[in-house]
Amino acid sequence: MILIYCELTENGQIADVSLELCTKGRSLATQLGTGLEALVCGNQLKDIEKQLYPFGVDQVLKADDARLFPYRTLPHFALLSQVVKERKPDVVLMGATCVGRDLAPRIASHLRCGLTADCTSLEIGSYEDKSKNKQYDNILYQIRPAFGGNIIATIVNPETRPQMATVREGVMKKEILDQNYKGSCIQLDASKYLKKEDEAVRIIAREIEQRKINIKNASIIVSGGYGVGSRENFEMLHQLAQVLGGEVGATRAAVDAGFAEGDRQIGQTGVTVRPKLYIACGISGAVQHRAGMDQSGKIISINTDPEAPINAIADYTIIGDVCKVVPQLIACYNKNKK
Amino acid sequence: MNYQIVVLIKQVPDTQNVGPDAMNADGTVNRAALPAIFNPEDLKALEMALQIKEQYPGSVITVLTMGPERASAIIRDALSRGADRGIIISDARFAGSDTLATSYALACAIRKIGEFDMVLGGRQAIDGDTAQVGPQVAEKLDLPQITYAERLLELNGKHIVLTRRLDNGVETVEAELPVLVTVTASAPDCRYPHAHLLLKNAKAQAEIWNADAIRPEIERLGLKGSPTKVKKIDNVVLAHKEGVQVECSEAGINGLVMTLVQDHIIG
Ligand SMILES: Cc1cc2nc3c(=O)[nH]c(=O)nc-3n(C[C@H](O)[C@H](O)[C@H](O)COP(=O)(O)OP(=O)(O)OC[C@H]3O[C@@H](n4cnc5c(N)ncnc54)[C@H](O)[C@@H]3O)c2cc1C
């Protein structure tokens, strides 16, 4: 069985990242010939299971208790770890969000099982351990870029269960399987799972902010890398984005250098985007970056280096200095726009 | 009131300065060719510890890392910024540890250090970005965890109040000690080393503990204790698109913009 740990939005809906994982989980479960279950922990969940069935969830496990919303590590840990022990899923998938990245490792530590963070792809396959001369079938391939150069690692947990992975929002596609998909729902009695010690950390204030930066849904993204050179030069990218009606994205190198805010980071450990147009300015095109943008409709690369890897996936390449090309783009656009 | 604080630190390859010799021919990372630095968020955790020590001068800060002996460099750095004691756990039997085996070894070492009020660490290390070791150490020591911490607001006897920087805002939480806290990138920067401490620690040696010293169950260490296995490493072959080379001139750029406007991609 495959289990999805579902997160809730501020207004009590199932978060997109969890629905995306349900879609992925459904196709993996079908391939394995097994069921798909989803755990939802929250408060006043009403008939939240109805949001999940259309994604092909066979069984929703629902824990409804005031102690479960907003999210806190220990109460959710108590529920998820017990549910995993009771139901023994082969695979547990969670969002690589502030919640999933807080909860998943604690669960994996408790169950002494493997966990792979920020997967960019999940598949089913076999694994042969040559040293033990052992063959394992129906193993979850947890695929993610690996550190150093353009390499992708396929990671497996042959011996331990469940096989756990986290995935960022936007990496998997959210797709309704069948509006009338028939699933069932089990109500869990939260008080059976929660102990007094789970209240060790108390939330005394919460300031929820609408995300100021929303590059996920932008149809045009002007993205800058380390080659842009400075925060001041990044201003030009903001100007270009503004005239085109787009948003500004960045690489991790640009974020680390302080040229742009962390929320703008695109890539394996940032946001995944699929805009109509992606303008990569001073970006080399490391595999971790490409993982977040290579599904873009059209890609323009502006780079002084004709050999930069990003050029290989670009539809248009301009070999030149960002500081010269970007102002020219703005000027030409203002001249040509309808 | 004095506090016993353990800060988990890691020496990491500087991923910002990856040169062409960063990779071995077989696709593995050539760590020796990369400059090694103090993991940036671990420095932020150290700063939080130093703030506590400033307020409660009798507090003791022990920095702990798992790694090769050359990690002495970051131990010396931490001592020069005001930490009191530095320990490296280092042993060939730790080789091949994933986060589960790493957190197990660190938890054993923390138990050996003895009484503590809090364990601090960076949210994640830049060579993996997994953010797993902190919560896994917390689970192993049966401590509540506070991840993504940004600011320490209050520390009063056994009572701690911190803000957390999350995807969708800021949360203020309180807990009783002991706790494990992971500190995020937006937390205050670490203060610089003191000149006199730099001098004093120029040749300081970290205490080095081997696997036996931390009294582990040996089969939970290293490769054996690591459930995750790398099945394969693939070089990414870029599906080369037949891209258009746009001349870097006003005429070239103008032509591109006109094409994009015509194709309804912009405008
Ligand atoms: C665990 C892990 C996770 C990571 N996650 C991400 C992620 O989510 N997102 C991400 O982006 N990275 C990520 N990275 C980092 C990634 O490996 C690269 O280091 C990073 O993407 C490089 O950013 P860059 O292209 O801006 O910088 P560089 O690689 O330094 O490239 C700069 C480019 O600018 C060009 N240039 C220089 N000057 C100019 C100029 N004046 N005009 C035009 N071009 C110029 C250069 O030719 C070069 O191609 C991750 C790394 C690790 C280890």
Side-chain angles (χ1 to χ4, degrees):
Chain A
M1 180 264 283
I2 294 181
L3 178 68
I4 312 295
Y5 166 85
C6 293
E7 274 178 51
L8 296 171
T9 63
E10 223 25 62
N11 47 22
Q13 307 294 303
I14 304 284
D16 275 346
V17 65
S18 306
L19 296 175
E20 291 160 13
L21 286 174
C22 286
T23 295
K24 185 73 206 178
R26 178 67 261 168
S27 79
L28 295 174
T30 303
Q31 207 181 336
L32 290 171
T34 180
L36 178 66
E37 302 193 1
L39 172 66
V40 191
C41 303
N43 189 24
Q44 298 183 339
L45 294 174
K46 301 196 187 76
D47 44 10
I48 198 143
E49 59 277 11
K50 293 198 179 132
Q51 291 176 36
L52 287 161
Y53 298 144
F55 293 88
V57 178
D58 299 306
Q59 180 106 270
V60 177
L61 309 162
K62 189 162 86 171
D64 203 331
D65 190 291
R67 289 168 287 182
L68 292 171
F69 192 88
Y71 168 85
R72 284 178 301 161
T73 315
L74 294 177
H76 281 241
F77 171 77
L79 263 138
L80 179 55
S81 60
Q82 276 310 313
V83 163
V84 170
K85 281 182 197 165
E86 288 163 17
R87 306 192 69 84
K88 302 195 175 25
D90 299 305
V91 171
V92 177
L93 303 179
M94 313 175 59
T97 58
C98 282
V99 169
R101 284 154 61 82
D102 179 77
L103 182 58
R106 197 171 174 109
I107 297 281
S109 173
H110 185 68
L111 302 168
R112 297 195 197 168
C113 64
L115 166 64
T116 305
D118 300 319
C119 293
T120 52
S121 174
L122 297 169
E123 290 168 18
I124 302 290
S126 59
Y127 173 66
E128 190 190 344
D129 187 336
K130 292 202 180 76
S131 65
K132 291 188 183 137
N133 202 4
K134 232 170 141 179
Q135 162 92 16
Y136 302 82
D137 291 320
N138 292 331
I139 292 282
L140 181 70
Y141 289 174
Q142 302 151 38
I143 300 165
R144 73 177 302 228
F147 167 64
N150 285 315
I151 52 177
I152 300 271
T154 300
I155 294 162
V156 293
N157 316 133
E159 292 281 351
T160 53
R161 292 292 175 274
Q163 307 162 85
M164 290 183 68
T166 65
V167 179
R168 296 223 165 216
E169 182 177 340
V171 173
M172 303 295 173
K173 279 222 177 70
K174 171 177 110 178
E175 252 159 10
I176 287 187
L177 179 75
D178 173 0
Q179 260 327 330
N180 302 315
Y181 194 85
K182 282 254 170 316
S184 57
C185 180
I186 301 179
Q187 183 99 31
L188 305 173
D189 177 5
S191 3
K192 266 189 18 209
Y193 294 83
L194 298 176
K195 306 180 299 291
K196 196 165 152 284
E197 303 87 89
D198 296 331
E199 299 296 301
V201 178
R202 294 165 300 275
I203 299 173
I204 50 183
R206 290 173 82 228
E207 284 167 53
I208 301 305
E209 300 161 355
Q210 281 299 331
R211 254 190 241 178
K212 279 187 232 93
I213 300 169
N214 189 355
I215 54 174
K216 200 179 76 180
N217 298 319
S219 65
I220 296 174
I221 294 178
V222 181
S223 193
Y226 197 65
V228 174
S230 67
R231 199 172 174 99
E232 290 67 51
N233 290 349
F234 244 78
E235 242 344 280
M236 281 185 305
L237 308 193
H238 285 280
Q239 284 166 17
L240 178 58
Q242 205 192 350
V243 298
L244 296 179
E247 263 292 353
V248 172
T251 64
R252 193 174 89 173
V255 170
D256 287 350
F259 302 168
E261 300 90 331
D263 291 353
R264 299 194 187 276
Q265 184 181 317
I266 291 170
Q268 183 208 0
T269 58
V271 184
T272 297
V273 296
R274 295 182 180 84
K276 211 161 61 170
L277 177 65
Y278 191 88
I279 308 180
C281 308
I283 293 177
S284 62
V287 66
Q288 291 93 354
H289 185 71
R290 292 200 312 266
M293 50 67 72
D294 60 7
Q295 304 290 314
S296 303
K298 290 268 183 261
I299 298 169
I300 301 176
S301 166
I302 305 167
N303 202 304
T304 42
D305 177 7
E307 303 300 320
I310 187 96
N311 299 343
I313 59 163
D315 299 278
Y316 302 96
T317 304
I318 306 172
I319 305 303
D321 186 336
V322 184
C323 299
K324 298 218 177 74
V325 176
V326 172
Q328 282 183 318
L329 270 173
I330 297 174
C332 290
Y333 177 74
N334 283 334
K335 212 166 61 193
N336 285 300
K337 73 174 171 208
K338 288 179 188 146
Chain B
M1 188 74 203
N2 296 327
Y3 294 95
Q4 304 293 319
I5 307 168
V6 178
V7 184
L8 302 175
I9 63 177
K10 185 179 185 188
Q11 191 179 43
V12 290
D14 186 355
T15 52
Q16 270 239 38
N17 292 299
V18 178
D21 52 351
M23 300 295 298
N24 296 319
D26 61 355
T28 57
V29 182
N30 179 8
R31 283 186 188 260
L34 293 168
I37 57 168
F38 203 128
N39 181 52
E41 288 181 350
D42 299 347
L43 270 174
K44 308 237 166 183
L46 178 60
E47 173 60 25
M48 193 176 278
L50 291 167
Q51 285 174 7
I52 295 170
K53 193 177 156 183
E54 211 163 47
Q55 207 185 341
Y56 301 98
S59 301
V60 177
I61 301 174
T62 304
V63 292
L64 169 66
T65 189
M66 176 167 119
E69 290 186 19
R70 72 166 172 150
S72 285
I74 58 165
I75 299 274
R76 274 196 295 277
D77 186 344
L79 295 173
S80 305
R81 293 176 201 252
D84 299 285
R85 182 181 180 195
I87 301 167
I88 306 179
I89 56 171
S90 193
D91 198 307
R93 286 171 283 179
F94 297 144
S97 294
D98 66 6
T99 63
L100 191 73
T102 302
S103 61
Y104 176 66
L106 289 171
C108 290
I110 294 168
R111 278 204 198 91
K112 178 176 156 101
I113 292 169
E115 290 282 298
F116 58 86
D117 299 291
M118 64 196 103
V119 179
L120 306 182
R123 169 189 57 145
Q124 63 190 30
I126 58 169
D127 55 348
D129 273 14
T130 71
Q132 284 170 200
V133 168
Q136 296 194 319
V137 169
E139 190 277 332
K140 296 208 150 59
L141 297 172
D142 204 12
L143 295 175
Q145 70 196 43
I146 298 172
T147 53
Y148 294 89
E150 188 171 51
R151 264 175 215 332
L152 175 66
L153 296 185
E154 199 184 312
L155 179 63
N156 199 331
K158 287 273 166 198
H159 188 74
I160 188 168
V161 182
L162 291 154
T163 61
R164 305 177 67 216
R165 165 67 53 181
L166 305 177
D167 295 333
N168 63 345
V170 179
E171 192 176 270
T172 308
V173 298
E174 60 174 359
E176 304 303 310
L177 301 182
V179 288
L180 180 141
V181 176
T182 72
V183 180
T184 197
S186 52
D189 285 332
C190 194
R191 63 200 63 192
Y192 291 108
H194 302 279
H196 74 281
L197 288 176
L198 269 174
L199 227 52
K200 186 177 146 209
N201 292 306
K203 293 219 163 54
Q205 282 302 319
E207 289 171 56
I208 297 184
W209 293 353
N210 68 7
D212 299 315
I214 60 171
R215 304 179 159 279
E217 298 167 35
I218 295 290
E219 68 285 356
R220 292 178 69 181
L221 298 179
L223 211 52
K224 252 201 197 127
S226 299
T228 55
K229 310 285 174 211
V230 177
K231 181 186 180 297
K232 60 174 179 156
I233 299 271
D234 291 316
N235 281 307
V236 185
V237 190
L238 289 179
H240 203 97
K241 264 193 207 166
E242 275 314 308
V244 177
Q245 182 92 13
V246 178
E247 194 192 318
C248 186
S249 64
E250 209 191 309
I253 292 171
N254 202 49
L256 170 63
V257 169
M258 276 162 59
T259 312
L260 293 174
V261 171
Q262 263 162 24
D263 295 349
H264 301 287
I265 292 168
I266 58 175

